[in-house]
Amino acid sequence: STSLLLCYDSMMTARAALVQMVCRYENVEPPVTGTSRTIEITVEYGGEAGPDLEEVATATGLTPAEIVQLHTAMPFPVEMIGFMPGFPYLGGLPAVLHLPRRSVPRVRVPAGSVAIANGRSGIYPTAAPGGWHLIGRTATLLFDPQREPPAILAPGDYVQFIASPTDL
């Protein structure tokens, strides 16, 4: 099988229109689609869990509380799973939070870290190197090879971040 990654702005182009356009080509089958799910993921923002939250606040001119409010205000669409097994690329990040990747990546980002960079949010399913801004952490296990399916998120799903009670 062959995979194709298409990057598009979901605010400008509907997924269904894009699928229809791509499937006009020979030997291209539409993706298997199920019903879209919204998965709630509780996040502890700031502090040790989100060491870059203050830096993001300074860069955006927002307070940490305003960043948390924006990050939990609406569900984010899972655009794709990649980089590592179970890592979701989440679209729809508010424009004020669009920051480039960190100039110096970390050698080790803890599993469950919730991060932002390049107009997207993501969650590190396992400990790994990474260059995104870490704003929080979740205890939700995103990827388990012993589970079927191993990843709890799939393209087409939505993630609704919920601030942990300690952040409220």
PDB file of all heavy atoms in Angstrom, residues 138-165:
ATOM      1  N   THR A 138      -0.719  15.080  30.022  1.00  0.00           N
ATOM      2  CA  THR A 138      -1.880  14.248  30.318  1.00  0.00           C
ATOM      3  C   THR A 138      -1.416  12.873  30.781  1.00  0.00           C
ATOM      4  O   THR A 138      -0.341  12.405  30.388  1.00  0.00           O
ATOM      5  CB  THR A 138      -2.794  14.098  29.079  1.00  0.00           C
ATOM      6  OG1 THR A 138      -3.934  13.306  29.442  1.00  0.00           O
ATOM      7  CG2 THR A 138      -2.083  13.436  27.910  1.00  0.00           C
ATOM      8  N   ALA A 139      -2.251  12.239  31.579  1.00  0.00           N
ATOM      9  CA  ALA A 139      -1.985  10.857  32.002  1.00  0.00           C
ATOM     10  C   ALA A 139      -2.635   9.864  31.049  1.00  0.00           C
ATOM     11  O   ALA A 139      -2.437   8.651  31.173  1.00  0.00           O
ATOM     12  CB  ALA A 139      -2.502  10.648  33.425  1.00  0.00           C
ATOM     13  N   THR A 140      -3.383  10.358  30.074  1.00  0.00           N
ATOM     14  CA  THR A 140      -4.057   9.482  29.110  1.00  0.00           C
ATOM     15  C   THR A 140      -3.023   8.722  28.281  1.00  0.00           C
ATOM     16  O   THR A 140      -2.122   9.335  27.703  1.00  0.00           O
ATOM     17  CB  THR A 140      -4.971  10.303  28.178  1.00  0.00           C
ATOM     18  OG1 THR A 140      -5.923  11.003  28.973  1.00  0.00           O
ATOM     19  CG2 THR A 140      -5.688   9.416  27.172  1.00  0.00           C
ATOM     20  N   LEU A 141      -3.156   7.421  28.211  1.00  0.00           N
ATOM     21  CA  LEU A 141      -2.252   6.574  27.425  1.00  0.00           C
ATOM     22  C   LEU A 141      -2.744   6.562  25.975  1.00  0.00           C
ATOM     23  O   LEU A 141      -3.766   5.961  25.664  1.00  0.00           O
ATOM     24  CB  LEU A 141      -2.214   5.161  28.006  1.00  0.00           C
ATOM     25  CG  LEU A 141      -1.262   4.174  27.360  1.00  0.00           C
ATOM     26  CD1 LEU A 141       0.187   4.653  27.477  1.00  0.00           C
ATOM     27  CD2 LEU A 141      -1.420   2.802  28.004  1.00  0.00           C
ATOM     28  N   LEU A 142      -2.026   7.274  25.102  1.00  0.00           N
ATOM     29  CA  LEU A 142      -2.452   7.402  23.705  1.00  0.00           C
ATOM     30  C   LEU A 142      -2.143   6.178  22.865  1.00  0.00           C
ATOM     31  O   LEU A 142      -2.837   5.899  21.892  1.00  0.00           O
ATOM     32  CB  LEU A 142      -1.771   8.609  23.058  1.00  0.00           C
ATOM     33  CG  LEU A 142      -2.154   9.974  23.571  1.00  0.00           C
ATOM     34  CD1 LEU A 142      -1.444  11.048  22.771  1.00  0.00           C
ATOM     35  CD2 LEU A 142      -3.637  10.183  23.522  1.00  0.00           C
ATOM     36  N   PHE A 143      -1.067   5.477  23.199  1.00  0.00           N
ATOM     37  CA  PHE A 143      -0.646   4.347  22.374  1.00  0.00           C
ATOM     38  C   PHE A 143      -0.229   3.192  23.265  1.00  0.00           C
ATOM     39  O   PHE A 143       0.580   3.362  24.169  1.00  0.00           O
ATOM     40  CB  PHE A 143       0.516   4.751  21.455  1.00  0.00           C
ATOM     41  CG  PHE A 143       0.935   3.663  20.515  1.00  0.00           C
ATOM     42  CD1 PHE A 143       0.238   3.426  19.343  1.00  0.00           C
ATOM     43  CD2 PHE A 143       2.017   2.844  20.814  1.00  0.00           C
ATOM     44  CE1 PHE A 143       0.611   2.414  18.480  1.00  0.00           C
ATOM     45  CE2 PHE A 143       2.408   1.823  19.949  1.00  0.00           C
ATOM     46  CZ  PHE A 143       1.698   1.609  18.781  1.00  0.00           C
ATOM     47  N   ASP A 144      -0.803   2.024  23.002  1.00  0.00           N
ATOM     48  CA  ASP A 144      -0.461   0.805  23.732  1.00  0.00           C
ATOM     49  C   ASP A 144      -0.473  -0.339  22.726  1.00  0.00           C
ATOM     50  O   ASP A 144      -1.534  -0.709  22.223  1.00  0.00           O
ATOM     51  CB  ASP A 144      -1.476   0.558  24.841  1.00  0.00           C
ATOM     52  CG  ASP A 144      -1.198  -0.709  25.627  1.00  0.00           C
ATOM     53  OD1 ASP A 144      -0.259  -1.467  25.283  1.00  0.00           O
ATOM     54  OD2 ASP A 144      -1.930  -0.946  26.606  1.00  0.00           O
ATOM     55  N   PRO A 145       0.702  -0.909  22.391  1.00  0.00           N
ATOM     56  CA  PRO A 145       0.740  -1.970  21.380  1.00  0.00           C
ATOM     57  C   PRO A 145      -0.048  -3.219  21.775  1.00  0.00           C
ATOM     58  O   PRO A 145      -0.384  -4.028  20.917  1.00  0.00           O
ATOM     59  CB  PRO A 145       2.234  -2.274  21.226  1.00  0.00           C
ATOM     60  CG  PRO A 145       2.911  -1.661  22.389  1.00  0.00           C
ATOM     61  CD  PRO A 145       2.010  -0.582  22.914  1.00  0.00           C
ATOM     62  N   GLN A 146      -0.395  -3.348  23.053  1.00  0.00           N
ATOM     63  CA  GLN A 146      -1.179  -4.503  23.513  1.00  0.00           C
ATOM     64  C   GLN A 146      -2.685  -4.285  23.350  1.00  0.00           C
ATOM     65  O   GLN A 146      -3.467  -5.212  23.534  1.00  0.00           O
ATOM     66  CB  GLN A 146      -0.866  -4.798  24.989  1.00  0.00           C
ATOM     67  CG  GLN A 146       0.608  -5.010  25.281  1.00  0.00           C
ATOM     68  CD  GLN A 146       1.230  -6.092  24.428  1.00  0.00           C
ATOM     69  OE1 GLN A 146       0.674  -7.179  24.283  1.00  0.00           O
ATOM     70  NE2 GLN A 146       2.376  -5.795  23.828  1.00  0.00           N
ATOM     71  N   ARG A 147      -3.077  -3.067  23.000  1.00  0.00           N
ATOM     72  CA  ARG A 147      -4.487  -2.716  22.866  1.00  0.00           C
ATOM     73  C   ARG A 147      -4.879  -2.815  21.396  1.00  0.00           C
ATOM     74  O   ARG A 147      -4.062  -2.617  20.507  1.00  0.00           O
ATOM     75  CB  ARG A 147      -4.663  -1.289  23.411  1.00  0.00           C
ATOM     76  CG  ARG A 147      -6.072  -0.785  23.476  1.00  0.00           C
ATOM     77  CD  ARG A 147      -6.157   0.576  24.167  1.00  0.00           C
ATOM     78  NE  ARG A 147      -5.237   1.544  23.568  1.00  0.00           N
ATOM     79  CZ  ARG A 147      -4.745   2.595  24.209  1.00  0.00           C
ATOM     80  NH1 ARG A 147      -5.049   2.834  25.456  1.00  0.00           N
ATOM     81  NH2 ARG A 147      -3.922   3.421  23.601  1.00  0.00           N
ATOM     82  N   GLU A 148      -6.153  -3.048  21.126  1.00  0.00           N
ATOM     83  CA  GLU A 148      -6.642  -3.088  19.748  1.00  0.00           C
ATOM     84  C   GLU A 148      -7.793  -2.103  19.593  1.00  0.00           C
ATOM     85  O   GLU A 148      -8.829  -2.278  20.237  1.00  0.00           O
ATOM     86  CB  GLU A 148      -7.102  -4.497  19.402  1.00  0.00           C
ATOM     87  CG  GLU A 148      -7.462  -4.688  17.941  1.00  0.00           C
ATOM     88  CD  GLU A 148      -6.338  -4.298  16.971  1.00  0.00           C
ATOM     89  OE1 GLU A 148      -5.170  -4.645  17.198  1.00  0.00           O
ATOM     90  OE2 GLU A 148      -6.657  -3.609  15.990  1.00  0.00           O
ATOM     91  N   PRO A 149      -7.675  -1.059  18.806  1.00  0.00           N
ATOM     92  CA  PRO A 149      -6.451  -0.656  18.111  1.00  0.00           C
ATOM     93  C   PRO A 149      -5.448  -0.049  19.102  1.00  0.00           C
ATOM     94  O   PRO A 149      -5.851   0.445  20.166  1.00  0.00           O
ATOM     95  CB  PRO A 149      -6.933   0.378  17.097  1.00  0.00           C
ATOM     96  CG  PRO A 149      -8.145   0.987  17.736  1.00  0.00           C
ATOM     97  CD  PRO A 149      -8.784  -0.119  18.548  1.00  0.00           C
ATOM     98  N   PRO A 150      -4.173  -0.056  18.752  1.00  0.00           N
ATOM     99  CA  PRO A 150      -3.147   0.433  19.679  1.00  0.00           C
ATOM    100  C   PRO A 150      -3.254   1.929  19.987  1.00  0.00           C
ATOM    101  O   PRO A 150      -2.939   2.351  21.094  1.00  0.00           O
ATOM    102  CB  PRO A 150      -1.830   0.142  18.962  1.00  0.00           C
ATOM    103  CG  PRO A 150      -2.154  -0.839  17.896  1.00  0.00           C
ATOM    104  CD  PRO A 150      -3.600  -0.659  17.566  1.00  0.00           C
ATOM    105  N   ALA A 151      -3.698   2.734  19.015  1.00  0.00           N
ATOM    106  CA  ALA A 151      -3.825   4.189  19.215  1.00  0.00           C
ATOM    107  C   ALA A 151      -5.282   4.524  19.523  1.00  0.00           C
ATOM    108  O   ALA A 151      -6.186   4.018  18.862  1.00  0.00           O
ATOM    109  CB  ALA A 151      -3.360   4.942  17.976  1.00  0.00           C
ATOM    110  N   ILE A 152      -5.499   5.395  20.519  1.00  0.00           N
ATOM    111  CA  ILE A 152      -6.881   5.751  20.860  1.00  0.00           C
ATOM    112  C   ILE A 152      -7.462   6.804  19.927  1.00  0.00           C
ATOM    113  O   ILE A 152      -8.666   6.989  19.893  1.00  0.00           O
ATOM    114  CB  ILE A 152      -7.036   6.219  22.333  1.00  0.00           C
ATOM    115  CG1 ILE A 152      -6.311   7.533  22.577  1.00  0.00           C
ATOM    116  CG2 ILE A 152      -6.607   5.142  23.300  1.00  0.00           C
ATOM    117  CD1 ILE A 152      -6.701   8.202  23.891  1.00  0.00           C
ATOM    118  N   LEU A 153      -6.589   7.488  19.164  1.00  0.00           N
ATOM    119  CA  LEU A 153      -7.051   8.532  18.245  1.00  0.00           C
ATOM    120  C   LEU A 153      -6.797   8.111  16.806  1.00  0.00           C
ATOM    121  O   LEU A 153      -5.836   7.392  16.520  1.00  0.00           O
ATOM    122  CB  LEU A 153      -6.325   9.848  18.528  1.00  0.00           C
ATOM    123  CG  LEU A 153      -6.538  10.440  19.925  1.00  0.00           C
ATOM    124  CD1 LEU A 153      -5.594  11.610  20.156  1.00  0.00           C
ATOM    125  CD2 LEU A 153      -7.985  10.853  20.113  1.00  0.00           C
ATOM    126  N   ALA A 154      -7.644   8.600  15.919  1.00  0.00           N
ATOM    127  CA  ALA A 154      -7.494   8.337  14.488  1.00  0.00           C
ATOM    128  C   ALA A 154      -7.859   9.603  13.720  1.00  0.00           C
ATOM    129  O   ALA A 154      -8.611  10.445  14.229  1.00  0.00           O
ATOM    130  CB  ALA A 154      -8.410   7.181  14.059  1.00  0.00           C
ATOM    131  N   PRO A 155      -7.330   9.751  12.504  1.00  0.00           N
ATOM    132  CA  PRO A 155      -7.735  10.907  11.692  1.00  0.00           C
ATOM    133  C   PRO A 155      -9.258  10.968  11.585  1.00  0.00           C
ATOM    134  O   PRO A 155      -9.926   9.949  11.409  1.00  0.00           O
ATOM    135  CB  PRO A 155      -7.083  10.622  10.336  1.00  0.00           C
ATOM    136  CG  PRO A 155      -5.890   9.790  10.682  1.00  0.00           C
ATOM    137  CD  PRO A 155      -6.353   8.911  11.820  1.00  0.00           C
ATOM    138  N   GLY A 156      -9.785  12.171  11.717  1.00  0.00           N
ATOM    139  CA  GLY A 156     -11.235  12.362  11.689  1.00  0.00           C
ATOM    140  C   GLY A 156     -11.838  12.496  13.076  1.00  0.00           C
ATOM    141  O   GLY A 156     -12.939  13.010  13.227  1.00  0.00           O
ATOM    142  N   ASP A 157     -11.132  12.000  14.102  1.00  0.00           N
ATOM    143  CA  ASP A 157     -11.589  12.187  15.479  1.00  0.00           C
ATOM    144  C   ASP A 157     -11.342  13.635  15.898  1.00  0.00           C
ATOM    145  O   ASP A 157     -10.672  14.390  15.188  1.00  0.00           O
ATOM    146  CB  ASP A 157     -10.820  11.273  16.442  1.00  0.00           C
ATOM    147  CG  ASP A 157     -11.216   9.808  16.335  1.00  0.00           C
ATOM    148  OD1 ASP A 157     -12.282   9.515  15.768  1.00  0.00           O
ATOM    149  OD2 ASP A 157     -10.442   8.963  16.821  1.00  0.00           O
ATOM    150  N   TYR A 158     -11.855  13.978  17.049  1.00  0.00           N
ATOM    151  CA  TYR A 158     -11.623  15.285  17.652  1.00  0.00           C
ATOM    152  C   TYR A 158     -11.117  15.078  19.072  1.00  0.00           C
ATOM    153  O   TYR A 158     -11.499  14.127  19.741  1.00  0.00           O
ATOM    154  CB  TYR A 158     -12.912  16.121  17.691  1.00  0.00           C
ATOM    155  CG  TYR A 158     -13.327  16.615  16.333  1.00  0.00           C
ATOM    156  CD1 TYR A 158     -14.051  15.805  15.475  1.00  0.00           C
ATOM    157  CD2 TYR A 158     -12.973  17.892  15.912  1.00  0.00           C
ATOM    158  CE1 TYR A 158     -14.414  16.256  14.215  1.00  0.00           C
ATOM    159  CE2 TYR A 158     -13.338  18.349  14.658  1.00  0.00           C
ATOM    160  CZ  TYR A 158     -14.049  17.523  13.810  1.00  0.00           C
ATOM    161  OH  TYR A 158     -14.395  17.959  12.566  1.00  0.00           O
ATOM    162  N   VAL A 159     -10.259  15.988  19.514  1.00  0.00           N
ATOM    163  CA  VAL A 159      -9.771  15.978  20.890  1.00  0.00           C
ATOM    164  C   VAL A 159     -10.285  17.227  21.584  1.00  0.00           C
ATOM    165  O   VAL A 159     -10.075  18.341  21.108  1.00  0.00           O
ATOM    166  CB  VAL A 159      -8.225  15.942  20.939  1.00  0.00           C
ATOM    167  CG1 VAL A 159      -7.728  16.164  22.369  1.00  0.00           C
ATOM    168  CG2 VAL A 159      -7.694  14.629  20.379  1.00  0.00           C
ATOM    169  N   GLN A 160     -10.967  17.005  22.714  1.00  0.00           N
ATOM    170  CA  GLN A 160     -11.403  18.106  23.552  1.00  0.00           C
ATOM    171  C   GLN A 160     -10.514  18.092  24.793  1.00  0.00           C
ATOM    172  O   GLN A 160     -10.576  17.166  25.592  1.00  0.00           O
ATOM    173  CB  GLN A 160     -12.865  17.953  23.950  1.00  0.00           C
ATOM    174  CG  GLN A 160     -13.349  19.029  24.914  1.00  0.00           C
ATOM    175  CD  GLN A 160     -13.332  20.416  24.290  1.00  0.00           C
ATOM    176  OE1 GLN A 160     -14.032  20.677  23.312  1.00  0.00           O
ATOM    177  NE2 GLN A 160     -12.535  21.323  24.844  1.00  0.00           N
ATOM    178  N   PHE A 161      -9.650  19.098  24.912  1.00  0.00           N
ATOM    179  CA  PHE A 161      -8.801  19.195  26.093  1.00  0.00           C
ATOM    180  C   PHE A 161      -9.615  19.745  27.256  1.00  0.00           C
ATOM    181  O   PHE A 161     -10.396  20.677  27.100  1.00  0.00           O
ATOM    182  CB  PHE A 161      -7.593  20.094  25.824  1.00  0.00           C
ATOM    183  CG  PHE A 161      -6.607  19.487  24.863  1.00  0.00           C
ATOM    184  CD1 PHE A 161      -6.445  20.004  23.588  1.00  0.00           C
ATOM    185  CD2 PHE A 161      -5.832  18.401  25.234  1.00  0.00           C
ATOM    186  CE1 PHE A 161      -5.531  19.451  22.696  1.00  0.00           C
ATOM    187  CE2 PHE A 161      -4.902  17.838  24.349  1.00  0.00           C
ATOM    188  CZ  PHE A 161      -4.754  18.365  23.080  1.00  0.00           C
ATOM    189  N   ILE A 162      -9.414  19.152  28.425  1.00  0.00           N
ATOM    190  CA  ILE A 162     -10.078  19.562  29.658  1.00  0.00           C
ATOM    191  C   ILE A 162      -8.968  19.911  30.654  1.00  0.00           C
ATOM    192  O   ILE A 162      -8.071  19.091  30.896  1.00  0.00           O
ATOM    193  CB  ILE A 162     -10.942  18.401  30.240  1.00  0.00           C
ATOM    194  CG1 ILE A 162     -11.903  17.834  29.193  1.00  0.00           C
ATOM    195  CG2 ILE A 162     -11.634  18.842  31.517  1.00  0.00           C
ATOM    196  CD1 ILE A 162     -12.995  18.747  28.762  1.00  0.00           C
ATOM    197  N   ALA A 163      -9.022  21.106  31.226  1.00  0.00           N
ATOM    198  CA  ALA A 163      -8.036  21.494  32.237  1.00  0.00           C
ATOM    199  C   ALA A 163      -8.279  20.688  33.498  1.00  0.00           C
ATOM    200  O   ALA A 163      -9.430  20.526  33.930  1.00  0.00           O
ATOM    201  CB  ALA A 163      -8.125  22.986  32.531  1.00  0.00           C
ATOM    202  N   SER A 164      -7.211  20.147  34.091  1.00  0.00           N
ATOM    203  CA  SER A 164      -7.352  19.385  35.324  1.00  0.00           C
ATOM    204  C   SER A 164      -7.904  20.310  36.404  1.00  0.00           C
ATOM    205  O   SER A 164      -7.722  21.526  36.356  1.00  0.00           O
ATOM    206  CB  SER A 164      -6.013  18.789  35.747  1.00  0.00           C
ATOM    207  OG  SER A 164      -5.149  19.801  36.190  1.00  0.00           O
ATOM    208  N   PRO A 165      -8.595  19.750  37.385  1.00  0.00           N
ATOM    209  CA  PRO A 165      -9.198  20.583  38.445  1.00  0.00           C
ATOM    210  C   PRO A 165      -8.187  21.493  39.140  1.00  0.00           C
ATOM    211  O   PRO A 165      -8.547  22.576  39.586  1.00  0.00           O
ATOM    212  CB  PRO A 165      -9.777  19.563  39.412  1.00  0.00           C
ATOM    213  CG  PRO A 165     -10.009  18.342  38.588  1.00  0.00           C
ATOM    214  CD  PRO A 165      -8.924  18.348  37.544  1.00  0.00           C
TER     215      PRO A 165
END
